[in-house]
Amino acid sequence: MSSALTDLFPYPIVQAPMAGGVSVPQLAAAVCEAGGLGFLAAGYKTADGMYQEIKQLRGLTGRPFGVNLFLPQPDCADPAAVEVYAHQLAGEAAWYETEPGDPDSGRDDGYDAKLAVLLDNPVPVVSFHFGVPGREVVDALHRVGTFTLVTATTPEEAQAVERAGADAVIAQGVEAGGHQGTHRDVAETDGSGLGLLSLVAQVRETVGLPIVAAGGIMRGSQIAAVLAAGAVAAQLGTAFLATPESGAHPLHKQALTNPLFVRTELTRAFTGRPARGLVNRFLREHGPYAPAAYPEVHHLTAPLRKAAARAGDAQGMALWAGQGHRMARDLPAGQLVEALVAEVRAARGEGR
Ligand SMILES: Cc1cc2nc3c(=O)[nH]c(=O)nc-3n(C[C@H](O)[C@H](O)[C@H](O)COP(=O)(O)O)c2cc1C
């Protein structure tokens, strides 16, 4: 590790921000304390909710950590398609004895208010998903001493990240669990996105920024591989989702290694933006028909997903997972960091 960003944490391991209550302060703190970089996910939080989590995390660890924001998305291109999808989901609502959500119940996720909090109460690292922040935002964060990272899924997106003046680019391969952080929602759900090793190599030849590699990484040998390809650190989501500290629903954790769920797919079924999850009934039945409409579809399906979770039915939940899900270990997060570090060393032939 050579860049100033990675001087913040001893091991080249970043715990991915995971919105929806997964990357809670307890998880981030355990990772930070073990020598990785823990992250809070503020994408679905209010500015105050984010502030409270930051306070809680600061009470649990004095080590550097990160906070992740979603970039605001353009207006819904096709409200009629959302209406058609809402009709399609009527049967789900009846089955789970609930109502679909209001697709128009919140387009503004409080991005500006969250930025204001992060400028008033600076944190060590801020990362951005779903787009590139304006240069003035990056400059303002730099002035308060915050490192900035932005997700890219193509070399062209990495160039945009470099132009914005960010400190590092998160190269997210198509293997990644959860949402693809494409800058515009042009992503196909057919899996034609770049695989991680190819993406890291291409980004390395395109921009001069330090690269954090994300997507499908479950073992230290894979971390060693992305470091050899030119990354300075690896960002792992699914691997940390399985830990006892993660706030993921127990059914979600169990599903990662349940032989019932053997495949993942990119789908718009739950949120309207391509995201990788375990193939379950909801994804199979609705994925092919879901429109490109984030966050409208996210609001529409939220009560259905909650009702499925209440009913203990994993077939109706959004089971975000990367392609490596079957290799998940339910080790405590600190022990997982230690195991990964030992595996990196073994892969490099160190200590022999
Ligand atoms: C449950 C879940 C939620 C996620 N939420 C976010 C998020 O809020 N912000 C973000 O930048 N990335 C998010 N991601 C994507 C991760 O940053 C990362 O790209 C991905 O987890 C890497 O692939 P892996 O899960 O195979 O390790 C999420 C991933 C998962 C699995």
Side-chain angles (χ1 to χ4, degrees):
M1 292 201 290
S2 56
S3 72
L5 166 74
T6 47
D7 290 344
L8 291 180
F9 45 106
Y11 300 132
I13 297 171
V14 178
Q15 164 250 307
M18 289 180 277
V22 179
S23 57
V24 291
Q26 290 76 7
L27 174 60
V31 172
C32 294
E33 287 294 306
L37 183 69
F39 252 96
L40 297 174
Y44 297 146
K45 298 253 165 224
T46 61
D48 186 54
M50 177 191 77
Y51 178 65
Q52 295 306 328
E53 278 209 333
I54 293 172
K55 257 182 34 188
Q56 212 184 328
L57 179 54
R58 284 200 199 278
L60 295 170
T61 182
R63 303 188 65 90
F65 62 91
V67 175
N68 174 254
L69 300 179
F70 290 163
L71 266 296
Q73 299 300 295
D75 283 348
C76 182
D78 192 355
V82 177
E83 221 176 297
V84 171
Y85 194 54
H87 282 298
Q88 167 160 346
L89 296 181
E92 294 285 340
W95 177 253
Y96 290 115
E97 298 179 338
T98 184
E99 295 291 326
D102 174 3
D104 302 317
S105 60
R107 167 148 281 286
D108 175 14
D109 78 348
Y111 176 75
D112 291 334
K114 286 181 235 185
L115 272 178
V117 169
L118 294 171
L119 291 173
D120 277 350
N121 309 270
V123 297
V125 181
V126 170
S127 74
F128 295 88
H129 210 53
F130 294 157
V132 189
R135 175 113 212 177
E136 68 292 349
V137 169
V138 173
D139 289 346
L141 286 166
H142 283 165
R143 278 195 296 275
V144 297
T146 299
F147 281 96
T148 53
L149 279 69
V150 185
T151 303
T153 60
T154 63
E156 292 74 21
E157 288 183 350
Q159 283 175 316
V161 173
E162 189 169 53
R163 280 196 300 274
D167 298 293
V169 56
I170 300 166
Q172 188 195 36
V174 74
E175 305 92 330
H179 285 102
Q180 287 281 300
T182 46
H183 294 181
R184 285 183 305 128
D185 184 7
V186 290
E188 298 297 337
T189 51
D190 63 2
S192 61
L194 285 172
L196 182 60
L197 273 181
S198 181
L199 177 64
V200 169
Q202 292 184 45
V203 169
R204 194 179 181 210
E205 292 194 5
T206 311
V207 300
L209 291 177
I211 301 168
V212 176
I217 299 176
M218 305 298 286
R219 296 286 185 266
S221 56
Q222 294 168 288
I223 298 176
V226 293
L227 296 178
V232 298
Q235 177 163 305
L236 289 70
T238 305
F240 285 107
L241 190 154
T243 64
E245 291 92 338
S246 117
H249 193 286
L251 286 176
H252 190 171
K253 293 185 190 182
Q254 287 159 20
L256 295 174
T257 50
N258 182 336
L260 262 184
F261 300 105
V262 290
R263 290 182 49 240
T264 62
E265 249 179 44
L266 285 175
T267 185
R268 296 182 193 276
F270 298 102
T271 68
R273 230 184 187 275
R276 185 173 295 284
L278 299 174
V279 175
N280 63 0
R281 183 192 56 75
F282 193 105
L283 189 157
R284 256 194 315 270
E285 287 181 7
H286 304 298
Y289 310 103
Y294 176 91
E296 283 77 10
V297 174
H298 166 72
H299 294 314
L300 191 60
T301 67
L304 308 178
R305 289 179 273 133
K306 280 190 195 128
R310 272 198 307 274
D313 183 7
Q315 298 292 345
M317 296 163 60
L319 302 172
W320 302 136
Q323 288 182 342
H325 64 94
R326 282 193 278 184
M327 297 169 85
R329 303 176 269 201
D330 70 348
L331 290 175
Q335 282 181 34
L336 178 59
V337 172
E338 284 167 23
L340 291 167
V341 170
E343 290 162 1
V344 172
R345 291 192 175 131
R348 289 170 155 177
E350 290 169 14
R352 268 193 211 149

